Amino acid sequence: MAKTTSAAFALASLLAAAACGVGGNRNVSRNATPTPTPPAVESHVPSGFKPSAEKARDAGDFKYVYSPVKNKKYAGWRRELMQERVLEEIAGELNKQLALPEDVTLSFDQCGEVNAYYDPERRRVSLCYELLEDLYRVFEEEAESQEELDDEVAGATVFVFFHELGHALVHVLELPITGREEDAVDQLSTFLVTDGTEEGAATALDAARSFYADAEAEEGGEPDYWNEHSLNRQRFYNIICWVYGQNPERYASLVGEGVLPEERASRCGAEYEQIERAWTTLLRPHLKSTD
């Protein structure tokens, strides 16, 4: 388990970078050179993803809270996250980008279960410390260093965060979603984190690996076909497909090494473009002016 602020620092960096992508530049060349650091917010808005002419209603903000905890280990993590101003960073970036009709709270909580969720009654996105602990368990066996372990946990956590943020946006912005909302917000999370950098792709791939590990742990039991989420193995292949679809040349190894079947890979570019078009259209009316 993490004993330093490295995990909190990685989480803060990834969350802030991905938050820029809410209004982010998705002009990613299929042969683009990886960007070493995320660009400034002002340079992150492409011509096709500017605020709409009609001013969005802006009567709310993203708030944040680090809930008190009883678990001593979680108390240490809470202290580290507060020191790195993780939620302050993400709330600040989101407030620069999005106009909300009402407040939404972002929080880290001790939940009593491995979970992350959006509570529509409280308009609150909660990330559970139990989830972070479980992700350490998932990644620790294969991680070659503490730094690598912290980065992988941070990456998977960022994906989950933006998945739950997607639920919040669907709710408070009354976004029209066809099909399963769980699949739609998986698409949003992938869209936000895959910003054309190697770090962004790694964040999505860390999340995919966590779903694959969950699927392996479930083997032997009856799949939860009734669940509103896609099966964990399906979520794994979806994310892999969309990462590949954003830049097939750069991520050709996903197909070459047999991670992504060619039959699915042939459609991934079109799938990613559809995700980009759909979420750009849905979010554009709610973006603040950058003038």
Side-chain angles (χ1 to χ4, degrees):
M1 299 303 174
K3 300 298 183 182
T4 70
T5 61
S6 54
F9 179 79
L11 191 58
S13 300
L14 289 173
L15 282 169
C20 294
V22 172
N25 190 343
R26 286 308 194 270
N27 294 329
V28 180
S29 167
R30 292 292 187 248
N31 299 304
T33 301
T35 305
T37 56
V41 175
E42 291 77 10
S43 66
H44 214 55
V45 182
S47 58
F49 199 15
K50 289 188 180 298
S52 62
E54 182 180 351
K55 188 174 182 180
R57 180 189 171 203
D58 188 17
D61 287 304
F62 287 96
K63 308 289 188 179
Y64 58 87
V65 61
Y66 300 90
S67 299
V69 298
K70 296 180 179 180
N71 183 294
K72 290 184 178 180
K73 177 168 57 181
Y74 298 167
W77 289 354
R78 177 177 181 268
R79 183 167 54 252
E80 293 171 4
L81 292 165
M82 292 176 68
Q83 288 173 348
E84 294 297 335
R85 297 174 56 83
V86 171
L87 292 180
E88 290 88 332
E89 290 282 342
I90 185 62
E93 291 295 341
L94 290 172
N95 283 329
K96 290 178 186 177
Q97 301 286 348
L98 286 168
L100 297 178
E102 51 194 336
D103 290 344
V104 173
T105 301
L106 314 175
S107 68
F108 280 100
D109 299 287
Q110 182 174 343
C111 305
E113 61 178 347
V114 177
N115 203 359
Y117 59 94
Y118 170 65
D119 183 344
E121 292 186 4
R122 301 170 68 193
R123 298 188 303 281
R124 177 166 172 149
V125 173
S126 293
L127 282 173
C128 304
Y129 290 107
E130 291 87 348
L131 174 66
L132 272 67
E133 184 174 27
D134 187 66
L135 288 171
Y136 271 106
R137 177 193 58 78
V138 168
F139 290 117
E140 65 184 351
E141 184 174 336
E142 295 185 5
E144 297 182 357
S145 67
Q146 183 67 49
E147 181 179 3
E148 179 180 319
L149 177 59
D150 289 335
D151 287 343
E152 290 171 342
V153 170
T157 303
V158 166
F159 185 94
V160 172
F161 173 85
F162 281 103
H163 173 100
E164 299 304 332
L165 178 69
H167 286 303
L169 295 178
V170 168
H171 176 229
V172 300
L173 301 179
E174 299 182 345
L175 301 180
I177 297 296
T178 62
R180 292 196 295 192
E181 185 176 317
E182 294 294 344
D183 292 338
V185 296
D186 267 358
Q187 293 170 356
L188 173 63
S189 188
T190 305
F191 172 59
L192 291 180
V193 302
T194 53
D195 58 356
T197 67
E198 292 292 344
E199 183 180 58
T203 298
L205 294 175
D206 286 338
R209 289 175 56 209
S210 72
F211 290 129
Y212 195 89
D214 286 342
E216 288 189 320
E218 294 166 353
E219 285 184 354
E222 179 70 16
D224 293 335
Y225 294 115
W226 48 265
N227 198 286
E228 67 270 23
H229 297 87
S230 292
L231 300 178
N232 283 317
R233 208 174 292 272
Q234 289 179 304
R235 298 178 79 180
F236 167 81
Y237 283 112
N238 282 341
I239 295 168
I240 295 294
C241 174
W242 301 331
V243 170
Y244 171 80
Q246 189 208 38
N247 196 324
E249 291 188 12
R250 184 187 296 174
Y251 300 109
S253 62
L254 292 173
V255 179
E257 295 174 1
V259 178
L260 179 66
E262 292 185 6
E263 293 85 349
R264 178 69 183 276
S266 65
R267 298 190 294 273
C268 292
E271 284 189 39
Y272 184 84
E273 289 174 5
Q274 185 181 51
I275 290 168
E276 179 180 42
R277 183 169 57 252
W279 277 105
T280 296
T281 301
L282 289 171
L283 292 178
R284 184 187 291 116
H286 307 285
L287 291 176
K288 292 182 178 179
S289 172
T290 56
D291 296 338

